[in-house]
Amino acid sequence: MEVVIVQDATAGGELIAESIATLLRRKRDALIGVATGSSPLPIYQALTAKVASGAVDASGARIAQLDEYVGLPAGHPESYRSVVLREVVRPLGLDESAFMGPDGSADDILAACEAYDRALAAAGGVDLQLLGIGTDGHIGFNEPVSSLASRTRIKTLTEQTRVDNARFFEGDIEQVPHHVITQGIGTILEARHLVLLATGEGKAEAVAQTVEGPLAALVPASALQLHPHATVVVDEAAASKLKLADYYRATFAAKPEWQGL
Ligand code: F6R
């Protein structure tokens, strides 16, 4: 696992956006897996700026959603489908046909989950998966004690996650759905490159356990330790509980630029 400590969220967004741009220059129809929430927004803004300036052509990119609330009416502004279309697909100038995601309003949720895993595989698999991390260590919506081999399925959000996400629902926890569809940890681990961005002190404990703690279902993000190409980008605040922070800094500073992330 590579840990990169950046000054702030903007620097993290720029670094990761450049990595996506490099991928798109090599593979113009790369399948980019996207997370929602606040953390990845600087990535999407930086990537959109690169597309606008002509630094990268993203017109062949394909976008895959990581997770989705269950039970929000179609078109709800906080459904993750709406968020990804608003924050990623449209700003990059892509057509909706370039986007795939699980159907959180399906009558048969089980079938929708299985269909999404099949669709990801049929699309050739995710080339680069962006991840955030919950304060409880979740990735996607794989809450603590999720199976490390799990596939896309329905999960129940913890109270903590519903509290954390109430800010997207007028601060009203009652509006935050209890259930979600999420790519499983096993599904996420099939992506060719995992890139997690965490910012702010509130993520410091979860980051430390993910990177330096034991592999444990209690901390779902620790599954990144199993992946051959996992990158964790953190700002100074989110890095504040890492024991080997100086080592990560020195390693990245000495890394040849051609290697990228
Ligand atoms: C959402 C997702 C979640 C978030 C996590 C952190 O698609 O994958 O794991 O990344 O809840 O959310 P923020 O970034 O809002 O703190």
Side-chain angles (χ1 to χ4, degrees), residues 21 49 91 95 115 128 133 154 165-166 173 175 178 180 184 212 219 246 256:
D95 191 80
L128 186 154
I133 186 169
I154 188 166
N165 285 9
I173 189 174
Q175 292 183 42
H178 284 272
V180 289
E212 297 175 342
V219 184
D246 287 344

Side-chain angles (χ1 to χ4, degrees), residues 35-40 66-67 80 132-134 138-140 167-168 203:
T36 46
S38 306
S39 309
L66 183 58
D67 43 17
Y80 282 173
I133 186 169
H138 69 229
I139 47 170
R167 68 190 192 281
F168 296 113
K203 302 293 174 68

Side-chain angles (χ1 to χ4, degrees), residues 193-212:
H193 184 192
L194 300 181
V195 182
L196 186 151
L197 176 61
T199 51
E201 207 182 336
K203 302 293 174 68
E205 184 58 37
V207 166
Q209 290 190 32
T210 295
V211 175
E212 297 175 342

